[in-house]
Amino acid sequence: MKHICIHGHFYQPPRENPWLEVVELQDSAYPYHDWNARITAECYGPNAWSRILNSEGRIVKIVDNYARISFNFGPTLLAWLAEQEPAVYQAILAADRESQVRFDGHGSAMAQAYNHIIMPLANSRDKRTQVIWGIRDFEARFGRTPVGMWLPETAVDLETLDILAEHGIAFTILAPHQARRVRPREGGDWQDVSDGRVDTTRPYLVSLPSGRSIVVFFYNGPISREIAFGDLLNSGERFAQRLLAAAWDAKGEPLVHVATDGETYGHHHRFGDMALAFALERIESSSDVALTNYAAYLAQHPPAWEAEVQEFTSWSCAHGVERWRSNCGCNTGMHPGWTQEWRAPLREALDWLRDTLAPLYERMGSELFTDPWAARDDYISVILDRAQDNVTRFLERWQRRTLEPDERVTALKLLELQRHALLMYTSCGWFFDEISGIETVQVLQYAGRAIQLAEELFGNRFEEQFLAILEKAPSNIPEIGNGRVAYERFVLPARVDLPKVAAHYAVSALFEGYPESVSVACYQVDRLALDVQEAGRAHLLTGQIQVRSLITEESAVFNVAALHLGDHNVISGVRGDHDERAYQELVNALTESFARADIPETIRALDEHFRPATYSLRTLFRDEQRKILDLILESTLQEAEGMYRHLYEDSQPLMRFLADLGVPIPPAFQTAARFTVNADLRREIESPQPDFERIDRLFSEAETWHLDLDQHGLAYALQRALERAAERWRVSPEDRELLGLLTGLSSVAPRLKEPVNTWLVQNIVYEVLHTVYPEMSWRYERGDDAALEWIQAFRQLCKALWIAVE
C-alpha cells in the first residue's frame, strides 16, 4: 500500500492589543471585524464543513477536511477561536479525535512552538519555553500528548531539534532543501542532497549532539509549491491525480506528503477547501493508495535512513533565516523598490530589550519564586486559565513564601513581562515589507508592553535606549521615516494603564448604561458611586470607580468625571485620589456650575480638578470609540441621507431625460442616487421582513443609473441576514414563514457582484436535509398535504443555495 499525507500549517500571528488582550477593529479586514474573523470565514470554518459538488455544481456532501489531513494550529490562534468561534474550535478538536479512529489511534494534530518565533535566532531559554508552552497548550486543548511539532517557518538548528526530542517530540517536518546529506542506517556512504534532491517519500532519523534523536519528514517541494503558488487547487481532480501519480511512481510503500500554509485552502485560493475535499475523497476511493498522517505512517515505517540537516534554514527564505534579521532580498513582491534594511535594527532593539530585562527579572523573580525561569515555563498554566483559584495554585507551586497582595501583583507583572518579551519575537514582525505594517507594529506593541511593565517594576527608564536603536530602522514611507516614529505613532497611543481604563469607562458611560460591575477588555470596573445630569444637549457624569486588572490583579480607585457638549466634544478627567472629601469637593464644584448651565465654569472646574489627566473620545478603545462615533454620527448621517434622498427623488425625471438623450448624468446626481439606493438596499436586507419586490426594484435602479454600490458591504449584510434567519429556522424547521424568508434572501445573492458567503446557511440547510426532510417525506407519503407544501418550499431553498436534494 502506498500512502499520501497532506499537511496544513494553520496560523495567524497574535493580533490582540497587548494592554487589552482583545483583537480590536481592523478596518483593512472590512467587511469583517478583523483578519482573524475574515480568515475564519474564508478558511478555518470551511475546512471543517467543506463541500463536494456534483457535475451540476450542487452540494452533494459536506465533509470535515481536518479529520483526513495532518494539521497544526498556532496556539494563539486556537485561543482566539475558542473565544470567538467556538463551533469551529470544537470542530477542530473533534477532527483530531476522529483521525485517531481513522488512523489506528494516531491523531492528525501536531503541536507548534508557541507564538511562532524563529527558533534558530532565539536564545536557548526562549527556545525551551516556546516548546514547553506549545506542548502544554496542545495537551490542554486536544487532551493528549503531541507526537510531532511544527517549527515556525520550518526554521531549524540542532539545538532546537534537541529540545524537541528532550521533551518527547518524535518528529517534525522540514522542506527538502533543508536536508544536507543522507545514508542508510545499516551503513553506507553519506549522499549529498543539499540541493533539494532528498528522497521525500521516507522518514529520516537525525542524530543530535546530546545523543538523542528525532525523526524528520522532508515534504515534497514541487507539489507543495504547485499547491501554494500554482493553479493546482483550481481542480480537485487534478490535485488528486498529481498526488496519486507521485505515489504510483514511487517504489515500495512510500509516503507522498506535502506541506503548505493551511490558509492556502480557502483564504489564499478561494474554494481551495473544496478542491482539498474532492482530492481527499478521490484518494480514499483508490484501492492501492491510502490517506495517512505522519504519526500513523511512522508507527508502521520506522526510519531506515538517517539524515543531517542544514542548520539555520527555513522553508520561506532562500537565504536561510536572514529574512528575520537582515535585508536579504526576500519580500512579498508587492512593493518593488522598497528596502527591508529595518529588519536588522528591529531585531537588535528587541535583543537589547530581552537581554537587558532578563537579569533584572531573574534578580527580582528570585526573591519571589523558587526558580523564576521554571516558573516562566509553567506560566502557560495561567495563560490557559486565568481563574483566580488557578492563579493561586500556580503561585503556591513557585512562591518562596506566602505572598502579600502587592507581592502577588509584582509576581504576575514579572511573568507578564516575560510573556510579552516572547510575543515580541513573533515571526510576522519581519516577514513583510514595512516596519509600520500592522504585523511589525504588533510586535512593537508587545515590546512596548514589556517596557511599560519593566519601568513599573524596576524603576529604570528603558524606552529611550530602545528607541535610539529603533531609530536606525528606516521606513519606506517618507512621513514615518524610521522605527522610532512608527513606535511613537502606533504604539504609544495604544498604551493603556489603570487611569486610561477609568477614563474609557467614564466617557463610554455617558453613552450607554453599565451595571455596577462590568468587564472592560481584561479589566474589571466596579462602580462605587455614579451620577449623570443633563442640561440641554450637555451631559455631565461624576463618579468613583475601582479598576482591577484581570491579568496582573493590580487595582486602584479613581474619581472620574466626563462632560459631553454634543457631537464629538467630550472632556473627561481621572484622579487617583479617592479621599471621600476630595470626591465630594469635585462633585460639588462640577454639579453646581453645571446646574446653572454655566458650561465654561464647568469646564474650568473639571480642568482644575484633573489637570493634566484629562481625556477625550480619542482615549476610547477602538471598538467602543467606533460604536460611540456611530451613535454621534447617526443624526448627522440621517440628515445627509435626507438631503441625498430629496435630491435623488426630485432629479429622477431629469436623469431619465438625460439618459434618453445619451447625456452623461451629472456626478452630483450620481452620488445622490448611489447613496440613496445603497442605503435603501441595506435597510431592506437587514429588515426582519424584507420587501423583496422593492429590493428587486432597487437593483434595477442601480443598473439603470450604473451605480457603483458597496458590493462588499451589501454582501456581508446579506450574509448576516441569512445567518440570523437560518439560526432561527434551525430551531423551528417546520416554520414556513421562516423558510420563505430564507428562500427570498437567498434569491437576492445573485443580484450582487460580490459573492455572498452562504457557508453557515448551507450547513444548516444540509443538516435539515438529513434530519427533517426524511421525516417530511415520510409524512407526505402518508397523505400529509402540509408536508408536501413544506417539501416544495424546502426544495426551492435548496435550489437557491445550490444543494442537491436527491
Side-chain angles (χ1 to χ4, degrees):
M1 182 66 71
K2 300 172 187 292
H3 299 85
I4 290 175
C5 177
I6 299 172
H7 182 83
H9 164 52
F10 295 89
Y11 160 75
Q12 289 298 302
R15 302 182 186 277
E16 286 77 7
N17 178 312
W19 291 272
L20 301 178
E21 300 294 336
V22 296
V23 179
E24 294 189 285
L25 180 69
Q26 295 177 315
D27 289 324
S28 59
Y30 179 81
Y32 294 90
H33 177 271
D34 54 74
W35 280 103
N36 282 2
R38 179 168 176 168
I39 297 170
T40 298
E42 295 172 348
C43 174
Y44 307 138
N47 276 288
W49 291 274
S50 193
R51 285 87 169 100
I52 294 176
L53 309 181
N54 63 16
S55 59
E56 297 175 352
R58 297 195 175 276
I59 298 168
V60 293
K61 196 173 184 180
I62 292 182
V63 296
D64 185 345
N65 286 341
Y66 298 120
R68 297 183 291 173
I69 66 171
S70 169
F71 65 88
N72 74 277
F73 268 82
T76 55
L77 174 58
L78 282 176
W80 181 88
L81 287 169
E83 180 71 24
Q84 299 295 327
E85 296 285 350
V88 176
Y89 174 72
Q90 290 299 331
I92 293 164
L93 303 188
D96 181 64
R97 293 192 295 271
E98 183 182 335
S99 70
Q100 294 175 56
V101 176
R102 183 184 294 270
F103 300 124
D104 300 323
H106 302 283
S108 288
M110 292 172 56
Q112 179 199 285
Y114 185 73
N115 65 274
H116 213 269
I117 73 171
I118 301 303
M119 296 288 274
L121 299 181
N123 63 29
S124 300
R125 194 157 46 209
D126 286 358
K127 289 176 181 175
R128 188 172 302 276
T129 302
Q130 287 283 326
V131 171
I132 291 170
W133 284 15
I135 291 172
R136 294 275 297 277
D137 188 276
F138 184 96
E139 291 172 340
R141 298 184 190 283
F142 290 94
R144 64 177 180 87
T145 301
V147 182
M149 176 171 278
W150 179 267
L151 293 176
E153 304 292 342
T154 75
V156 69
D157 65 338
L158 289 179
E159 184 183 43
T160 296
L161 294 179
D162 218 334
I163 292 171
L164 294 186
E166 177 190 350
H167 289 87
I169 297 299
F171 71 88
T172 191
I173 306 167
L174 297 179
H177 66 263
Q178 294 180 274
R180 180 169 173 263
R181 57 182 188 169
V182 300
R183 69 178 178 185
R185 289 183 66 189
E186 68 268 16
D189 295 333
W190 285 102
Q191 302 171 21
D192 183 0
V193 294
S194 57
D195 57 358
R197 290 181 293 109
V198 65
D199 182 350
T200 62
T201 65
R202 60 168 69 106
Y204 294 87
L205 191 71
V206 176
S207 298
L208 302 167
S210 66
R212 303 183 186 94
S213 61
I214 191 170
V215 173
V216 172
F217 291 90
F218 298 100
Y219 64 78
N220 185 303
I223 301 179
S224 297
R225 284 191 293 274
E226 289 178 46
I227 296 168
F229 307 112
D231 60 359
L232 200 54
L233 295 185
N234 289 353
S235 165
E237 178 63 35
R238 259 197 330 124
F239 183 17
Q241 288 301 325
R242 184 73 172 87
L243 292 169
L244 287 168
W248 289 328
D249 287 346
K251 297 177 181 178
E253 297 185 23
L255 175 67
V256 172
H257 60 110
V258 294
T260 67
D261 285 336
E263 292 75 21
T264 301
Y265 303 108
H267 173 56
H268 299 315
H269 294 273
R270 189 180 177 90
F271 305 127
D273 66 290
M274 294 168 60
L276 175 60
F278 187 94
L280 292 169
E281 194 89 349
R282 173 69 179 84
I283 293 167
E284 281 191 321
S285 69
S286 174
S287 59
D288 56 349
V289 178
L291 289 173
T292 190
N293 62 34
Y294 291 106
Y297 186 84
L298 185 59
Q300 295 295 322
H301 304 84
W305 285 64
E306 60 181 321
E308 292 180 352
V309 301
Q310 302 207 69
E311 293 191 88
F312 295 91
T313 56
S314 67
W315 76 342
S316 51
C317 177
H319 315 92
V321 293
E322 295 306 306
R323 185 169 193 155
W324 297 277
R325 64 178 176 186
S326 72
N327 184 24
C328 67
C330 290
N331 54 60
T332 66
M334 296 175 63
H335 302 95
W338 278 19
T339 179
Q340 283 75 53
E341 289 291 346
W342 54 268
R343 288 175 178 161
L346 173 62
R347 184 161 291 275
E348 180 188 351
L350 296 183
D351 285 350
W352 173 86
L353 183 61
R354 176 197 63 196
D355 296 340
T356 301
L357 299 184
L360 299 174
Y361 166 80
E362 184 170 330
R363 188 178 308 125
M364 184 176 286
S366 296
E367 298 173 6
L368 302 175
F369 304 123
T370 54
D371 184 335
W373 296 112
R376 183 183 82 161
D377 288 344
D378 189 35
Y379 189 56
I380 185 64
S381 62
V382 173
I383 296 170
L384 287 164
D385 178 9
R386 293 192 181 274
Q388 195 161 12
D389 57 347
N390 184 57
V391 176
T392 298
R393 287 193 296 271
F394 165 82
L395 291 173
E396 288 173 347
R397 285 199 299 275
W398 296 104
Q399 63 193 13
R400 284 191 173 276
R401 61 184 183 280
T402 302
L403 300 180
E404 297 297 327
D406 61 331
E407 292 179 313
R408 183 175 167 121
V409 170
T410 297
L412 292 173
K413 281 188 171 183
L414 283 166
L415 291 161
E416 279 298 298
L417 181 154
Q418 283 300 312
R419 180 169 77 96
H420 286 89
L422 290 166
L423 289 169
M424 71 186 184
Y425 282 106
T426 301
S427 67
C428 288
W430 288 265
F431 191 86
F432 296 95
D433 296 348
E434 164 57 23
I435 194 168
S436 63
I438 60 173
E439 294 84 6
T440 310
V441 166
Q442 185 73 37
V443 302
L444 288 175
Q445 287 188 344
Y446 288 129
R449 177 59 172 152
I451 289 170
Q452 180 190 41
L453 288 165
E455 292 182 348
E456 292 174 1
L457 287 164
F458 309 128
N460 307 39
R461 299 295 298 173
F462 301 100
E463 194 164 64
E464 185 51 44
Q465 180 61 37
F466 177 77
L467 291 177
I469 301 172
L470 206 57
E471 194 168 359
K472 297 187 293 184
S475 168
N476 294 287
I477 300 173
E479 57 266 31
I480 292 177
N482 59 60
R484 173 192 279 269
V485 178
Y487 183 94
E488 292 170 345
R489 184 173 296 188
F490 301 114
V491 176
L492 292 182
R495 180 174 289 178
V496 173
D497 53 16
L498 295 185
K500 194 169 182 179
V501 177
H504 171 91
Y505 176 91
V507 172
S508 57
L510 280 168
F511 296 90
E512 60 179 302
Y514 281 132
E516 288 191 9
S517 182
V518 64
S519 292
V520 177
C522 60
Y523 298 88
Q524 185 75 24
V525 180
D526 295 316
R527 186 175 72 208
L528 307 179
L530 192 75
D531 181 63
V532 179
Q533 301 179 40
E534 297 182 21
R537 295 182 65 195
H539 294 74
L540 173 68
L541 176 146
T542 55
Q544 193 173 70
I545 59 175
Q546 181 177 47
V547 180
R548 177 178 178 272
S549 168
L550 300 175
I551 306 296
T552 66
E553 300 184 1
E554 181 182 21
S555 68
V557 175
F558 298 96
N559 296 335
V560 298
L563 177 64
H564 180 214
L565 301 175
D567 295 334
H568 62 288
N569 301 303
V570 177
I571 309 168
S572 174
V574 172
R575 187 168 169 177
D577 177 9
H578 56 277
D579 177 79
E580 187 61 32
R581 190 177 70 175
Y583 175 63
Q584 287 304 321
E585 289 177 356
L586 163 69
V587 172
N588 292 338
L590 291 173
T591 56
E592 286 177 9
S593 57
F594 189 77
R596 299 193 305 270
D598 189 346
I599 301 302
E601 176 61 23
T602 305
I603 295 173
R604 188 198 64 76
L606 193 148
D607 186 59
E608 180 181 305
H609 277 79
F610 292 108
R611 186 189 305 155
T614 56
Y615 303 86
S616 69
L617 277 179
R618 297 179 186 274
T619 310
L620 288 175
F621 308 149
R622 186 172 298 169
D623 285 67
E624 187 71 13
Q625 182 186 69
R626 189 64 58 87
K627 180 179 177 181
I628 289 174
L629 285 172
D630 286 344
L631 288 173
I632 291 171
L633 287 170
E634 186 175 1
S635 60
T636 304
L637 288 174
Q638 285 176 352
E639 291 176 12
E641 182 181 336
M643 290 188 289
Y644 277 127
R645 186 177 302 282
H646 180 72
L647 174 59
Y648 175 53
E649 290 174 351
D650 285 355
S651 61
Q652 277 199 59
L654 179 56
M655 290 169 67
R656 294 187 187 283
F657 180 72
L658 293 173
D660 289 343
L661 292 177
V663 176
I665 306 297
F669 290 177
Q670 282 273 4
T671 300
R674 181 172 64 251
F675 189 98
T676 304
V677 172
N678 204 86
D680 286 350
L681 274 171
R682 181 182 285 271
R683 193 171 289 117
E684 283 294 344
I685 287 170
E686 293 176 343
S687 169
Q689 294 182 316
D691 183 339
F692 293 110
E693 290 184 359
R694 183 161 188 254
I695 289 174
D696 192 60
R697 288 197 302 272
L698 288 167
F699 274 115
S700 296
E701 288 181 36
E703 292 167 3
T704 298
W705 308 123
H706 307 290
L707 302 181
D708 184 18
L709 298 175
D710 177 13
Q711 297 286 341
H712 290 284
L714 290 172
Y716 187 67
L718 181 56
Q719 173 190 334
R720 299 297 296 160
L722 277 162
E723 290 172 352
R724 287 191 299 270
E727 291 287 7
R728 289 166 56 205
W729 179 65
R730 177 187 241 161
V731 177
S732 305
E734 295 187 30
D735 189 321
R736 285 285 311 283
E737 186 175 337
L738 283 174
L739 182 53
L741 173 61
L742 266 175
T743 305
L745 287 170
S746 300
S747 68
V748 174
R751 301 299 301 269
L752 290 167
K753 296 176 183 177
E754 175 70 17
V756 178
N757 186 340
T758 57
W759 168 78
L760 177 60
V761 180
Q762 288 175 333
N763 291 349
I764 292 172
V765 175
Y766 184 83
E767 174 189 312
V768 171
L769 174 63
H770 288 82
T771 54
V772 180
Y773 183 79
E775 179 190 344
M776 299 300 272
S777 297
W778 182 87
R779 284 163 52 177
Y780 164 63
E781 290 168 1
R782 281 151 185 78
D784 187 337
D785 291 338
L788 173 59
E789 293 176 4
W790 185 93
I791 288 171
Q792 291 171 338
F794 180 75
R795 282 175 170 271
Q796 193 67 26
L797 175 60
C798 288
K799 182 179 180 181
L801 290 172
W802 289 86
I803 297 174
V805 177
E806 302 302 342

